[in-house]
Amino acid sequence: MLDALHSVGNASSVHHHGRDAAARVDKARRQVGELLGCAPGEIIFTSGATEANNLALRAASAQGGALVTTAVEHPAVLETARSLSAESSAPLVTLPVSADGIVDLAALEASVQGEEVAVVSVMLANNETGALADLASVVRIARAAGALVHSDATQYVGRLPVDLDDLDVDLLSLSAHKFGGPQGVGALFVRRGISLPHRPLLVGGGHEKGWRAGTLNVAGIVGMGAAAEAARRQLGDEAPHITKLRDLLEGELLAQLPGSHVNGARAPRLPGVTSITFPGAPADAVLASMPAIAASDGSACSAGAPSPSHVLLAMGLSREAADSTIRFSMGYATTEQEIRRAIDATLRAVTHVQTVMSGTAGP
Ligand code: PLP
């Protein structure tokens, strides 16, 4: 990335500086393609998964028909679907999920029966609970209804293997900073051969095959490519280590804090995310009592928003339980020592807040 930052070329220019930048971008496109098991030409670089989700749904909805998504999607999908539906009066179906956060396939079947459906958009892994979708079944049902399939795979890519030969989606979004790359760069996979009317958010010079105009962020793209290559080399190796740490964290907290529970515990889940409810302990107070621990009381993307997590509400949690939930995440660099520190800090903070809340705290 440093090298690319020092290079002056615009990847669209024909002089040697431009060709040098274009070669760096080509390499990154190959690296991202190799991580996903797709051709480099199927990768459109964007500013992140938010933009990729917007582009995917805008293009897919342009062909007309209903938009079908789930109640637990990231706002980058939910809000895009809502605004497209409001603009065009296309029906919007928001599918319910089970108590473990798994999309209701019977509701999906029912929603596409006799309905013209433009796109079905289901996330591969949830950002709050880590719950994994049965995307193969979603694809089967959506295809039978003639709909395009999009998946927001932001939380999944780089953590577990993806093979776009097997995963028969048309469109898939990802973001570099979720697998060790820089912030502010991502990609949209667009399957070769599908013809979609583009509805770019940025209109101009027609870069990235007309999907988004503007000079490419060469250094960011180079960083994404390098992170994709590193992630591909590590794929599969880190999951057992991270799962062990997650199980340690969950096991200790649940054993020592009666009444606490893991959301989505019975679902197939990503190794590195856990969402734990501590009844009687509002998450904002717990987090304030353990400032050394970088956990979150919702998805970081919507942190600061006063409303409780829409994901947890959709899974049937009460508002109070959703407000008493903390999301912990861990990665390949997390150590057992750090997890033990997090356990100690959480035990102290939750017990303190529960005591204060129940009015039994001393002076
Ligand atoms: N989708 C999911 C599932 C996410 O977790 C996030 C961010 O955390 C996004 C989309 C948005 O990604 P970006 O920040 O790259 O726009």
Side-chain angles (χ1 to χ4, degrees):
M1 280 184 75
L2 278 177
D3 205 34
L5 279 169
H6 288 122
S7 146
V8 294
N10 175 332
S12 308
S13 302
V14 290
H15 51 63
H16 67 281
H17 293 303
R19 288 200 304 275
D20 171 62
R24 294 175 198 269
V25 170
D26 286 348
K27 178 176 174 192
R29 226 185 276 281
R30 278 197 306 278
Q31 289 166 316
V32 175
E34 279 166 13
L35 177 65
L36 300 179
C38 70
E42 294 174 302
I43 298 297
I44 304 297
F45 285 116
T46 65
S47 62
T50 298
E51 185 186 345
N53 287 337
N54 272 263
L55 289 177
L57 295 186
R58 284 168 66 83
S61 67
Q63 36 170 32
L67 300 157
V68 178
T69 187
T70 82
V72 294
E73 297 297 312
H74 188 275
V77 165
L78 275 178
E79 292 306 320
T80 305
R82 279 184 194 131
S83 83
L84 287 168
S85 160
E87 264 171 38
S88 65
S89 309
L92 170 63
V93 180
T94 310
L95 300 169
V97 296
S98 70
D100 278 313
I102 300 297
V103 61
D104 184 336
L105 293 177
L108 172 60
E109 296 252 23
S111 73
V112 300
Q113 287 300 320
E115 184 77 53
E116 198 191 327
V117 180
V119 61
V120 175
S121 178
V122 175
M123 73 199 316
L124 202 41
N126 186 268
N127 46 307
E128 292 190 34
T129 62
L132 302 178
D134 174 3
L135 209 57
S137 299
V138 170
V139 169
R140 183 178 41 77
I141 297 167
R143 287 261 175 274
L148 289 168
V149 187
H150 166 251
S151 184
D152 178 354
T154 306
Q155 292 286 334
Y156 190 100
V157 170
R159 304 213 173 126
L160 293 174
V162 177
D163 183 354
L164 282 164
D165 266 343
D166 287 345
L167 198 66
D168 189 21
V169 295
D170 301 292
L171 300 150
L172 181 131
S173 306
L174 59 151
S175 183
H177 69 103
K178 301 298 180 187
F179 54 89
Q183 296 174 349
V185 57
L188 174 65
F189 157 80
V190 183
R191 190 170 291 285
R192 194 178 14 211
I194 63 162
S195 92
L196 280 178
H198 300 167
R199 287 173 68 194
L201 289 156
L202 301 173
V203 185
H207 304 69
E208 293 297 274
K209 298 184 181 157
W211 279 89
R212 57 117 55 194
T215 300
L216 270 65
N217 168 12
V218 178
I221 290 169
V222 164
M224 181 169 190
E229 184 166 332
R232 185 171 59 84
R233 290 185 196 283
Q234 278 173 204
L235 268 182
D237 294 352
E238 59 185 42
H241 162 70
I242 300 175
T243 306
K244 206 174 109 210
L245 296 182
R246 183 198 66 193
D247 292 349
L248 172 67
L249 180 82
E250 291 179 352
E252 289 291 322
L253 292 178
L254 264 54
Q256 300 195 45
L257 294 168
S260 53
H261 68 264
V262 173
N263 297 299
R266 285 160 312 189
R269 282 188 291 154
L270 279 182
V273 186
T274 181
S275 160
I276 309 183
T277 300
F278 303 105
D284 53 352
V286 173
L287 291 173
S289 304
M290 49 179 208
I293 307 300
S296 128
D297 60 354
S299 67
C301 321
S302 52
S307 49
S309 151
H310 68 284
V311 173
L312 298 177
L313 296 184
M315 290 165 65
L317 267 71
S318 66
R319 191 187 166 110
E320 197 184 350
D323 279 338
S324 305
T325 299
I326 295 184
R327 182 187 68 160
F328 299 89
S329 47
M330 55 221 86
Y332 64 89
T334 311
T335 64
E336 182 175 331
Q337 200 188 12
E338 286 169 328
I339 291 296
R340 292 203 181 275
R341 267 177 37 218
I343 293 168
D344 288 345
T346 309
L347 288 175
R348 274 199 306 275
V350 170
T351 310
H352 168 70
V353 173
Q354 283 173 336
T355 310
V356 171
M357 294 300 290
S358 65
T360 55

